[in-house]
Amino acid sequence: MANVISDEVIDYVGILAKLELSPEEKEAAKKDMGRMLDYIDKLNELDTSDVEPMSHVFPVHNVFREDVVTNGDDREQMLANAPEAKEWQYQVPRTVE
Amino acid sequence: MSRQYETVIGLEVHVELATRTKIFCGCSTAFGGAPNTHTCPVCTGMPGSLPVLNKRVVELALAVGLATGCSINQYCKFDRKNYFYPDNPQNYQISQLYLPICHDGGVEIETADGGKKVVGIHEIHMEEDAGKLIHDEWEDCSLVDFNRSGVPLIEIVSEPDMRSADEVIAYLDKLRLIIQYLGASDCKLQEGSMRADVNLSVREAGAREFGTRTEMKNLNSFKAIARAIEGERTRQIDLLESGRPVIQETRRWDDAKEYSYAMRSKEDAQDYRYFPDPDLTPVVISDEMIREIRNRQPEFRTEKKARYIKEFGLPEYDADILTGTKRLADIFEEAVAVCHRPKKVSNWLMVETMRLLKEREMDADRITFSPEHLAKLIGLVEAGTVNGSVAKEVFEKIFDEDVDPERYVEEHGLKMENDTDALQKTVAEVVEANPQSVTDYRAGKKKAMGFLVGQTMKATGGKANPAAVNQILREILEEKQHE
Ligand SMILES: [Zn+2]
């Protein structure tokens, strides 16, 4: 494995992804990530300077909607998905400014 | 001798676009709906939901880009900006990083010394707004309303070309006017449909490198922006003077305390790991679409001002003020279309409207009266139905409550008293009751005349035709003198 993931990197990625990993999970993730980067390095061996970057898997563009209201008040159904709700709003742990 | 410093300012301006629906779903963008009544699986980030781009958003963003001299990326696409926060239900915001729709434009502003300078626009990109978080004091929790989530925004990123608060205000004013003229947004700072973040750094005069900059948020009026710039400039200079470094950070301006505070950095820092959004297809903008939008561009301030002077014969000063806000220009044109009295309409807007705006501490944008009512009032004055002072009183009612002047004058019995016989009688009574004033007048104190006119107007409840009162009074007084 050419790419070795450090503890700092895996901890940082954990913070960004809001994941808490046990020591065993951390080691496994480091290995997985190293292998993924090796694979990317392999892909990078290919000369793609003449190839346009792909931004969508299908050759489609300009999929638009007209500016017309199609949705009504559906808050009862929407809030059914909330872990907790209060006064028709989603209740979350207090955020600090 | 203290060192001289130069302030370097760049702005990130967010403008809410005037669409009926959100950027990626068919939910309404109407302001002030009950919490979460304008939401659906797309704008609340439900797994499996798919965004579809609102065509109008592209058109409006293009219109703003073309009006600010930008180049257009005819192949543009959307990217995901990843971060966790409860107002962001998808855990990413759909925005544009790699290929924003517009880039490299600029707007011309006037500087304090009367010169002109161009403030460069680095880029304009399309993105979605976040939801609104309210902090519940009682239960130590926060509540989220997603009605604003997915409302279309454009972010206009300037170059660091501004050097003072005055230049920043001039730039914002110009930008706001262009966008309002286009009808792309109402640009109300107070209501948040236009928001500006200020990037500011200082450097010693003559230095070539930029200093470390800070970003200031929570600026919701032009005055707050000006104060925040002064406050932050002073803070940074104080740091440098005492040998301490300026730290690159985001600060929140507290306008009441006139001080900015470092916002506690979120644990995850500023690492947004942008990548192309696979749910959305690229946007290809044809030459024809650009041509079409260019053709649809309205008459901007310079042309409008010239037309007001030429077509309506307005003084340059009036034309300048009237075209200075889209709202005033609209009212002017609509009222003139009804009554065909451009100079009269202009006078009402320049004098009484301005006076009331100042008195009520309002921006012209917040005027709510209908132009037809002003036109009708002008008609009533012309026809001699009401006198000047009653007209002013009625106008105030139009300004505040948008009353129909014809009905209001009728219902309140404000029609001008033109009945000469009745007026003659009232004047005679006033003269009779004020012998001292008559004596004064005869003794050459012409001021006494004013007093008698005033008494007569009072006796008629302000409805008399002042010209008629003057004439009758003079006749009576002269007559008495010859007796
Ligand atoms: Zn929606």
Side-chain angles (χ1 to χ4, degrees), chain B residues 25 27 40 43:
Chain B
C25 61
C27 290
C40 73
C43 55

Side-chain angles (χ1 to χ4, degrees), chain B residues 80-115:
Chain B
R80 291 184 181 180
K81 177 181 180 178
N82 298 281
Y83 68 94
F84 288 95
Y85 208 64
D87 63 6
N88 166 26
Q90 298 155 140
N91 297 335
Y92 57 82
Q93 177 196 30
I94 303 178
S95 181
Q96 297 192 291
L97 178 73
Y98 300 108
L99 291 168
I101 186 164
C102 315
H103 61 96
D104 296 308
V107 298
E108 193 179 68
I109 59 164
E110 273 169 35
T111 51
D113 56 15

Side-chain angles (χ1 to χ4, degrees), chain A residues 12 16 55-56 61-65 67-71 73 75 78 86 88-90 92 94-95 97, chain B residues 20-22 25-27 36 44 53-55 75 84 135-136 139-140 142-144 271 282-284:
Chain A
Y12 181 60
L16 289 180
S55 41
H56 199 274
H61 55 79
N62 293 7
V63 178
F64 292 131
R65 285 178 29 243
D67 186 24
V68 177
V69 178
T70 51
N71 301 336
D73 172 9
R75 60 182 163 166
M78 298 309 306
K86 185 184 173 187
W88 296 106
Q89 290 161 92
Y90 297 76
V92 298
R94 188 181 169 82
T95 55
E97 288 266 284
Chain B
R20 289 188 196 92
T21 63
K22 295 186 178 180
C25 61
C27 290
N36 291 302
T44 53
L53 180 59
N54 182 345
K55 192 177 181 193
Y75 182 87
F84 288 95
H135 303 293
D136 188 318
E139 287 197 41
D140 200 35
S142 296
L143 303 171
V144 199
D271 187 343
V283 177
V284 176

Side-chain angles (χ1 to χ4, degrees), chain B residues 9-11 67-70 103-122 157-164 167-168 170-172 174-175 178:
Chain B
I9 308 163
L11 290 191
T68 51
C70 286
H103 61 96
D104 296 308
V107 298
E108 193 179 68
I109 59 164
E110 273 169 35
T111 51
D113 56 15
K116 288 187 191 304
K117 96 181 235 186
V118 173
V119 174
I121 289 176
H122 181 72
V157 183
S158 85
E159 299 291 353
D161 286 346
M162 288 158 277
R163 296 290 175 268
S164 67
E167 289 186 12
V168 169
Y171 167 73
L172 281 171
K174 190 72 182 279
L175 212 52
I178 291 171

